Structures are given as structure tokens and as C-alpha cells.
Amino acid sequence: MSSTRTLVVGEALVDAVTTPAGLTEEHVGGSPANVAFGLAALEHPVDLATWIATDERGRRIEEVCRERGVALTAGSQGAPFTSVAHATLDESGAASYVFDLEWQVAAVPGLTAYGHVHTGSIAAVLEPGGTQVRAILAAARELGATVSYDPNARPSLMGRPEQARETIESSIALADVVKLSDEDVEWLCPGESLDAVLRAWGELGPAVVVVTRGGEGAVVRITRTGEQLALPAPRVEVVDTVGAGDSFMAGLVSGLLDAGLLGGPEARTRLRASTLDDVVPAVERALRAGALTVERAGAYAPTRIALS
């Protein structure tokens, strides 16, 4: 098990989830926060740089972070209000989102403490925080940390796809590992084949690009060799898809950390020389984590025991 400390940079917010029956419940969420919770559940040391208030919802997020073993970095509690994502579930359990949020992030002290940095979704796009996030990624990378990124596109917040794609690709260029969904590909790259997008985004810099395909599993591509493999997802009964991509991301990062392929400059060298055989076990862990999540209502952070 890797002892590398990971920094997750991104939004922590409250998900107000409305079911097809019209019932609404509030849960602590946000894509990067869910990834941080997932890594902590898998016993990785993790800190979260975010932007919440000291209002009732912000105190709830702080409490959940403390319960999950995720430390907030200095400056994370300076927001004027805590953001809310209003999620509406359809009959299949798929969620659509409307957001009430503001996003920025303070400079993170002590970046040398982190061997790996992850970001994704709204945090890397919505200004003024998006520029601040990319500055943190660049600084951490310069200090030797590896970087992972999940675009996790939110069309209602990210403007026109061509504009969002340009911003997202600037973060992809800073990453060693990129994970995205087939829905992200369809929105950001209309008319382009999955193979073409995998190839093009790999050429921007990441050593590994993974695309999730819901119940169909995932496709992983190794940039150096051009090797590509489709892996099936475990067959499960879907309750809803909230947080499934974040559980997948946490499982992927966890597997790569444990394999010594993320977590500092030497790990980056190993990742750059890796093959499918080296990376597939991490993707399989990610698929198991995602499958366990869709079997339950709301976001879920599987433990190592649950994944075994």
C-alpha cells in the first residue's frame, strides 16, 4: 500500500438530490471531494484544497471531511457561501445537475509534501478558480508530483463545448493520467471517434488515458506504445449513477499509487515506461469501485475490504 500523500484540488459542495418520486435529500459531494473521500477509504493519506463557507452547509462538509480522514488545506473556508448542486434523478437512476456555486482556491502551502495531485470537473474550468487550479498543478508538477485529471464535464456550467475543450486540454497537458467518460467525449468532441480522441489527448502529454463507458466498462490507452484495451464492467443492478465516476477515479489513482506508477518523479518515470499489463490492475480496481457505487443510492467510497 502506498504511503504517498495526495492533494486533491477542487469543489466540495452539497448535493441536493431529487428522486423520480419528488423527494429531496442533501448529501456532501462534489466530484473532487468524492475522489478525496474515495482515496481516504482506500487508506491513502489525502488533503483537500477547496472553497467552502463557514455556514451550516460548510460546517457539514468540514465535519464529513474530518469523519472520512480528509484534511482541509489552509484557506479552504473563505467562500461567501457553500455551493449546492441540485441533482435530479430520472427513472434509470441517471442524474442531471443544476448548480448554485462560486469557485476559487487559495494557494496551497507546503506543496513539497505531496507526491501526487488530482483535480477535475468544475474546479479546473470555472473561473477564477480554474486558472488558480492550473497554477497549482504546474507548481506541483515542477516539484516532481504526478498529476491526474478527470474533466467530468458539466455542460450547464462550462459554456460552449469548443471553449470548454480548449480549457480542458490545457489541464490535460499538465496531467500524467487522464480519465473521462464517453459522455464527456460526446459533448466535447462531437463527431470524433473515441479512438481519435484517445490518441489526440494522449499526444498532449498524459502517459495513460482511460475512458469509462458506463455499464460497458472502460477503454485504456498507453500513449507511448499506442496499446489500447477495452475492459468489461462487473454486472450489477444499478440504483443510481451519482458518484460512480468519482469512485472509479479514486480506484484508478489508488491502484496506480500502489503499483508505484504515481507518487513522485521516479513513479512518473515508471509510468512513462509502463505497458498495459502494468496499468490494467488499477483499471480493474477502478471498475470494481464504480460497480459497487452504482449498486447504492448516492455517492459511496468503497474500502479495500469491499473491493477484495
Side-chain angles (χ1 to χ4, degrees), residues 247-260:
S247 290
F248 183 102
M249 188 76 239
L252 179 63
V253 171
S254 171
L256 293 172
L257 283 168
D258 284 358

Side-chain angles (χ1 to χ4, degrees), residues 152-208:
N152 200 0
R154 303 300 191 200
S156 65
L157 281 176
M158 294 184 178
R160 297 196 308 272
E162 59 271 20
Q163 285 182 315
R165 179 173 181 172
E166 182 177 351
T167 304
I168 284 168
E169 287 183 345
S170 66
S171 294
I172 289 172
L174 293 168
D176 298 287
V177 174
V178 172
K179 168 258 167 188
L180 66 156
S181 70
D182 51 3
E183 292 179 343
D184 293 334
V185 173
E186 289 169 9
W187 185 66
L188 290 165
C189 313
E192 297 184 38
S193 71
L194 183 61
D195 288 351
V197 173
L198 281 164
R199 185 169 56 253
W201 282 6
E203 289 172 354
L204 292 176
V208 176

Side-chain angles (χ1 to χ4, degrees), residues 226-247:
E227 294 176 285
Q228 191 167 305
L229 181 67
L231 295 167
R235 295 300 174 191
V236 296
E237 185 173 340
V238 176
V239 175
D240 70 44
T241 62
V242 175
D246 304 325
S247 290

Side-chain angles (χ1 to χ4, degrees), residues 71-256:
L72 294 174
T73 61
S76 289
Q77 295 169 286
F81 64 92
T82 298
S83 299
V84 181
H86 299 276
T88 302
L89 302 179
D90 64 20
E91 294 293 342
S92 73
S96 58
Y97 292 88
V98 176
F99 296 90
D100 178 18
L101 62 81
E102 184 213 47
W103 170 246
Q104 55 183 297
V105 64
V108 178
L111 274 180
T112 53
Y114 303 106
H116 183 70
V117 180
H118 172 76
T119 193
S121 199
I122 298 163
V125 176
L126 190 67
E127 297 297 350
T131 297
Q132 296 161 344
V133 168
R134 288 188 294 278
I136 292 171
L137 297 185
R141 185 180 179 88
E142 184 69 21
L143 291 168
T146 51
V147 175
S148 57
Y149 175 53
D150 176 6
N152 200 0
R154 303 300 191 200
S156 65
L157 281 176
M158 294 184 178
R160 297 196 308 272
E162 59 271 20
Q163 285 182 315
R165 179 173 181 172
E166 182 177 351
T167 304
I168 284 168
E169 287 183 345
S170 66
S171 294
I172 289 172
L174 293 168
D176 298 287
V177 174
V178 172
K179 168 258 167 188
L180 66 156
S181 70
D182 51 3
E183 292 179 343
D184 293 334
V185 173
E186 289 169 9
W187 185 66
L188 290 165
C189 313
E192 297 184 38
S193 71
L194 183 61
D195 288 351
V197 173
L198 281 164
R199 185 169 56 253
W201 282 6
E203 289 172 354
L204 292 176
V208 176
V209 182
V210 181
V211 176
T212 59
R213 302 189 298 164
E216 298 303 310
V219 177
V220 56
R221 181 180 175 86
I222 306 298
T223 300
R224 178 180 62 86
T225 63
E227 294 176 285
Q228 191 167 305
L229 181 67
L231 295 167
R235 295 300 174 191
V236 296
E237 185 173 340
V238 176
V239 175
D240 70 44
T241 62
V242 175
D246 304 325
S247 290
F248 183 102
M249 188 76 239
L252 179 63
V253 171
S254 171
L256 293 172

